[in-house]
Amino acid sequence: MSMALKQVFNKDRTFRPKRKFEPGTQRFELHKKAQASLNAGLDLKQAVQLPHGEDLNDWVAVHVVDFFNRINLIYGTISDSCTDQTCPVMSGGPKYEYRWQDEHKYKRPTALSAPKYMSLLMDWIEVQINNENIFPTNIGTPFPKCFMQVAKKILSRLFRVFVHVYIHHFDRVSQMGAEAHVNTCYKHFYYFVTEFNLTDHKELEPLKEMTARMCH
């Protein structure tokens, strides 16, 4: 890791406090297992596979939180060059524009600047992953029927952060020496969502050519 990148990551420039896994819980053990696979240099395609005897909901929950923390940090590293002036629309090149919609202020899909969209997105995800009714932390508490649907929505929206960063800010990523780190994080994310069919193929379209070079 380059010095510039270390300085940025040491600042821990996430927008929000990280969601931590409580020691002693099943989720904490699964998180350790996932991290051990990555640290051992296991092939990313293998690392994302569901460990024998583990529950898929738990495995997805652990990864959703982990990807939220990592992608939040990646966006934080380039956020100084992503402003209302440079990115007045949340997009992935001229063909793809992302509009924000939620249950509160933006009940219809609304065009927003990229930083505004990102801020609302990270707020929204944080609310979901800290909601015990959706992401239960106690062993024995069942996941709700809507869990996978919520997880898919979170992951689809997080993918849009990669799209925006790669298409509009990759020069900044390269300048900071963070290219290898971001690419590894992207490959890990891509293999995970495709392994469990957690993102519609149309969401993956904007980075299709790059993904074909990087992941196949």
Side-chain angles (χ1 to χ4, degrees):
M1 193 184 282
S2 72
M3 280 308 294
L5 186 58
K6 270 190 174 150
Q7 283 166 3
V8 169
F9 283 175
N10 288 345
K11 285 180 198 165
D12 202 16
R13 291 175 57 180
T14 45
F15 297 133
R16 319 281 179 273
K18 287 186 177 186
R19 169 73 192 262
K20 295 279 197 292
F21 299 103
E22 291 300 317
T25 63
Q26 170 74 0
R27 209 69 50 75
F28 180 76
E29 294 307 316
L30 266 184
H31 185 246
K32 279 203 314 191
K33 194 178 281 190
Q35 289 305 307
S37 295
L38 292 176
N39 294 341
L42 193 66
D43 176 75
L44 286 170
K45 256 187 177 171
Q46 286 180 278
V48 299
Q49 290 170 9
L50 181 66
H52 182 69
E54 298 295 354
D55 177 67
L56 178 60
N57 285 336
D58 272 318
W59 190 238
V60 170
V62 162
H63 282 81
V64 166
V65 173
D66 195 42
F67 287 135
F68 168 64
N69 288 334
R70 288 167 188 263
I71 294 167
N72 201 353
L73 189 56
I74 286 169
Y75 181 70
T77 65
I78 61 92
S79 58
D80 57 350
S81 59
C82 182
T83 66
D84 292 341
Q85 288 70 42
T86 61
C87 305
V89 175
M90 173 56 182
S91 62
K95 279 174 70 179
Y96 300 95
E97 181 183 323
Y98 302 117
R99 298 186 170 210
W100 181 257
Q101 185 175 13
D102 56 33
E103 301 82 41
H104 307 294
K105 188 176 173 184
Y106 300 97
K107 299 203 173 172
R108 291 182 178 178
T110 307
L112 298 170
S113 69
K116 178 70 174 164
Y117 184 103
M118 297 292 188
S119 183
L120 287 167
L121 172 59
M122 300 307 176
D123 275 343
W124 175 77
I125 295 175
E126 193 187 13
V127 168
Q128 308 309 307
I129 64 177
N130 285 295
N131 183 340
E132 286 284 334
N133 294 323
I134 301 173
F135 281 73
T137 52
N138 295 327
I139 295 173
T141 304
F143 282 86
K145 286 180 181 169
C146 68
F147 170 72
M148 227 25 116
Q149 189 184 341
V150 174
K152 284 180 179 181
K153 194 168 186 179
I154 291 172
L155 292 167
S156 292
R157 286 179 163 182
L158 281 174
F159 185 80
R160 296 171 182 183
V161 181
F162 276 123
V163 173
H164 186 73
V165 168
Y166 269 116
I167 292 175
H168 296 280
H169 299 289
F170 204 67
D171 54 342
R172 181 83 179 112
V173 171
S174 300
Q175 192 182 14
M176 296 169 73
E179 193 170 338
H181 175 84
V182 174
N183 286 347
T184 300
C185 188
Y186 174 74
K187 284 198 278 191
H188 187 196
F189 182 94
Y190 174 80
Y191 286 136
F192 187 80
V193 297
T194 52
E195 171 76 14
F196 301 107
N197 198 24
L198 294 169
T199 303
D200 286 342
H201 284 292
K202 70 176 193 308
E203 282 284 351
L204 304 175
E205 279 291 315
L207 298 180
K208 192 176 174 183
E209 287 178 20
M210 184 197 81
T211 305
R213 290 194 304 272
M214 197 187 287
C215 300
H216 297 296

